[in-house]
């Protein structure tokens, strides 16, 4: 048997059912793994040592009695800092964040507790979640376990690092422009941004989603079966449809699938050869398996990308300028410069024009995918960047140039996922993005599972430095 920390949620569920393993053993191994990796990865800002052990003991008793709360009862999980949990503060990555313990669980947190999952702790994120990076004025630098001098990306930076390092099999991040898929790409994971409203979030906001980040597609499917439960606090949530995603995951044939391939978005950062070759190779493998793959032009214009950048800047400018001067001085200088360098000059017409570009982007994304069953593309334009960097280009005046492949699907409400395809010569992972029709979350997971089966051999997960 592999080490306990390396077992998938599916393997743990089977071992709990046949009583060959106990949640108490598994959670103990996960906490030991955290102790070994945390000095290097810095993935967690709170660790629930006592709470996790107590929850594991309760789960063990349920399994012994033959009354588990769900198939993933007793499986260790982490949640991103901004997915609030009762009793924990949620300072959202910033040194001036509110440290008052929250009084209730966010929807995802409530659902995983009801399923009996064991919460190991809360994962790090950058200031306000507005960086695709592991840099935070509160937490310092979260590092990529594949290579500690490399960035995890963000804003679900800690979730990405925790999954790679083996802090249990299940992790949930959030995504408003790529913040689940980008770390999944840089960390060699499967990361799903569901259709808007499929997984309830609180507070809801246009484009915001929460989604699983796991080592395997099956583990994310098991988690989705739990976390998509209804929650009235999300007034943008979809009508609840009980689906056993794991049971319906297998069996998709590539034969007859119509897949569009977008290689370059034509705006933002130019794609590196490594990410293009991964997308091309995945497309060739799907074609060889019977899919009809057609290269299509980008639907995203420079004006659309500029529009969402201005929209995000204006939104964050309002938040930051409501703070005192002393408080603003404690925010990461990069973030402060990014949201203030021009947003203060925006007129109402500027903001509305930016918003209309976001709506145009939404329309174009839905139209581009409508002609196909799925669209395939790179996830990010680059393979990696330094751990200490705030963004791939380190330019606060153009800080979101790298989200051109991902951001449109947040606002078009379509499901999109990153699944690892291969590794570079120096051992860094490279993912590909799968995009589906609105509401076809299961389809995106099924194609991702197929890609998982036909991709090149994967590297062993890294071990902590000695």
């Amino acid at each position: 048997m592999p080490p306990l920390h390396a077992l998938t949620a599916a393997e743990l569920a089977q071992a709990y059912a046949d009583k060959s393993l106990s949640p108490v053993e598994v959670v103990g191994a996960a906490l030991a793994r955290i102790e070994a990796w945390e000095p290097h990865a810095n993935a967690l800002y709170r660790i629930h040592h006592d709470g996790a052990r107590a929850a594991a003991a309760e789960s063990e008793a349920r399994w012994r009695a033959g009354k588990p709360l769900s198939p993933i009862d007793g499986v260790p999980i982490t949640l991103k800092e901004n997915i609030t949990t009762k009793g924990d503060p949620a300072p959202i990555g910033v040194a001036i964040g509110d440290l008052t313990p929250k009084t209730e669980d966010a929807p995802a947190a409530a659902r995983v507790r009801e399923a009996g999952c064991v919460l190991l702790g809360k994962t790090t994120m950058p200031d306000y979640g507005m960086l695709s990076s592991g840099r935070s004025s509160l937490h310092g630098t979260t590092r990529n376990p594949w290579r500690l001098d490399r960035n995890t990306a963000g804003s679900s930076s800690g979730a990405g690092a925790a999954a790679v390092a083996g802090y249990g099999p299940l992790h949930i991040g959030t995504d408003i422009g790529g913040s689940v898929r980008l770390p999944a790409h840089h960390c060699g994971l499967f990361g799903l941004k569901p259709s808007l409203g499929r997984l309830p979030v609180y507070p809801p906001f246009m484009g915001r989603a929460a989604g699983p980040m796991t080592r395997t597609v099956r583990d994310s499917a098991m988690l989705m079966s739990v976390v998509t439960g209804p929650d009235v606090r999300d007034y943008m949530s979809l009508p609840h449809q009980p689906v056993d995603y794991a049971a319906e995951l297998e069996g998709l044939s590539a034969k007859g699938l119509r897949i569009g391939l977008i290689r370059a978005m034509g705006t933002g950062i130019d794609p590196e050869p490594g990410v293009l070759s991964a997308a091309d190779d995945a497309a060739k493998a799907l074609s060889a398996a019977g899919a009809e793959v057609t290269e299509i032009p980008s639907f995203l214009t420079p004006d659309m990308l500029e529009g969402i950048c201005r929209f995000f800047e204006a939104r964050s400018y309002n938040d930051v300028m409501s703070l005192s001067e002393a408080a603003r001085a404690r925010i990461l200088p990069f973030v402060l410069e990014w949201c203030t360098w021009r947003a203060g000059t925006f007129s109402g017409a500027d903001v509305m024009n930016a918003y209309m570009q976001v709506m145009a982007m939404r329309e174009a994304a839905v139209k581009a995918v409508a002609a196909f069953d799925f669209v395939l593309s790179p996830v990010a334009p680059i393979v990696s960047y330094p751990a200490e960097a705030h963004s791939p280009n380190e330019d606060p005046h153009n800080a979101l140039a790298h989200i051109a492949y991902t951001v449109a699907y947040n606002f078009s409400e379509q499901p999109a996922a990153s699944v690892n395809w291969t590794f570079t010569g120096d051992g860094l992972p490279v993912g590909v993005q799968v995009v589906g029709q609105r509401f076809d979350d299961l389809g995106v997971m099924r194609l991702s599972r197929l890609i998982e089966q036909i991709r090149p051999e994967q590297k062993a997960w890294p071990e902590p430095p000695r």
Side-chain angles (χ1 to χ4, degrees), residues 3 39 58 64-65 75 92 124 155 170 179 190 224 236 240 243 302 370 386 397 405 411 418 424 441 446 460:
E58 293 170 1
R64 284 178 175 173
V75 176
I92 55 175
T124 58
S155 64
L170 302 178
S179 291
F190 175 72
M224 281 289 286
M236 300 172 76
H240 178 53
V243 176
H397 297 176
Y405 283 106
F411 295 87
S418 173
T424 63
D441 303 84
R446 295 187 79 199

Side-chain angles (χ1 to χ4, degrees), residues 62-408:
R62 291 192 292 269
W63 279 104
R64 284 178 175 173
K67 296 180 179 180
L69 297 175
S70 77
I72 54 175
D73 193 335
V75 176
I77 191 169
T78 73
L79 299 175
K80 187 176 176 180
E81 177 188 328
N82 63 343
I83 300 172
T84 57
T85 44
K86 185 177 180 179
D88 293 323
I92 55 175
V94 66
I96 57 171
D98 182 8
L99 296 179
T100 305
K102 299 299 181 180
T103 58
E104 64 178 7
D105 287 335
R111 300 295 87 79
V112 298
R113 289 199 208 268
E114 292 161 4
C117 295
V118 177
L119 180 58
L120 297 173
K122 305 298 293 294
T123 52
T124 58
M125 61 184 287
D127 292 40
Y128 299 115
M130 291 312 301
L131 286 178
S132 294
S133 167
R135 296 277 288 146
S136 162
S137 62
L138 178 63
H139 307 306
T141 301
T142 296
R143 297 177 179 275
N144 193 328
W146 287 107
R147 238 181 70 184
L148 294 173
D149 66 337
R150 298 285 92 185
N151 214 297
T152 56
S155 64
S156 303
S157 47
V164 176
Y167 296 5
L170 302 178
H171 310 271
I172 301 180
T174 63
D175 188 318
I176 200 171
S179 291
V180 160
R181 289 158 290 160
L182 292 168
H185 159 69
H186 288 288
C187 293
L189 306 168
F190 175 72
L192 172 69
K193 183 210 73 67
S195 299
L196 185 74
R198 178 69 68 207
L199 193 170
V201 298
Y202 186 78
F205 190 80
M206 180 176 65
R208 177 182 290 153
M213 298 173 66
T214 60
R215 290 180 170 187
T216 70
V217 180
R218 174 164 291 279
D219 280 1
S220 282
M222 295 181 75
L223 187 53
M224 281 289 286
S225 298
V226 167
V227 293
T228 53
D231 197 297
V232 297
R233 290 173 291 175
D234 185 350
Y235 51 78
M236 300 172 76
S237 62
L238 298 173
H240 178 53
Q241 295 178 336
V243 176
D244 188 339
Y245 290 93
E248 299 187 38
L249 184 64
E250 304 289 345
L252 179 68
S253 171
K255 189 173 182 179
L257 286 181
R258 296 167 301 126
I259 298 176
L261 171 64
I262 300 177
R263 299 181 75 252
M265 295 308 290
T267 185
I269 297 174
D270 290 337
E272 294 178 348
V275 299
L276 288 177
S277 64
D280 289 342
D281 290 347
K284 290 174 185 175
L286 288 167
S287 180
E292 179 185 331
V293 180
T294 304
E295 185 175 346
I296 59 176
S298 170
F299 60 84
L300 191 71
T301 68
D303 285 345
M304 291 174 187
L305 183 59
E306 173 67 6
I308 189 61
C309 290
R310 281 184 283 147
F311 182 81
F312 279 143
E313 287 174 34
R315 175 173 172 261
S316 294
Y317 175 84
N318 282 355
D319 294 337
V320 165
M321 295 311 291
S322 68
L323 302 172
S324 68
E325 186 175 344
R328 289 198 297 271
R330 298 182 63 194
I331 298 170
L332 277 176
F334 186 96
V335 172
L336 187 63
E337 176 68 10
W338 161 74
C339 69
T340 61
W341 74 281
R342 64 173 176 170
T345 67
F346 289 169
S347 66
D350 291 331
V351 176
M352 279 307 301
N353 287 336
Y355 178 79
M356 294 310 296
Q357 286 296 331
V358 174
M359 293 301 99
M361 178 178 70
R362 169 183 177 141
E363 180 181 6
V366 171
K367 184 177 180 179
V369 181
F372 301 93
D373 297 307
F374 302 97
V375 163
L376 186 74
S377 78
V379 185
I382 62 170
V383 172
S384 74
Y385 55 106
E388 293 79 9
H390 301 86
S391 72
N393 60 7
E394 276 291 74
D395 181 0
H397 297 176
N398 190 26
L400 302 180
H402 58 287
I403 67 173
Y405 283 106
T406 53
V407 68

Side-chain angles (χ1 to χ4, degrees), residues 438-457:
R438 291 176 69 208
F439 316 132
D440 189 18
D441 303 84
L442 178 59
V444 166
M445 284 189 282
R446 295 187 79 199
L447 181 56
S448 297
R449 173 59 182 145
L450 178 59
I451 290 172
E452 197 176 51
Q453 292 171 311
I454 64 174
R455 67 188 177 185
E457 183 178 357

Side-chain angles (χ1 to χ4, degrees), residues 20-31:
S20 60
L21 278 179
S22 156
V24 173
E25 298 173 80
V26 171
V27 168
L31 291 171

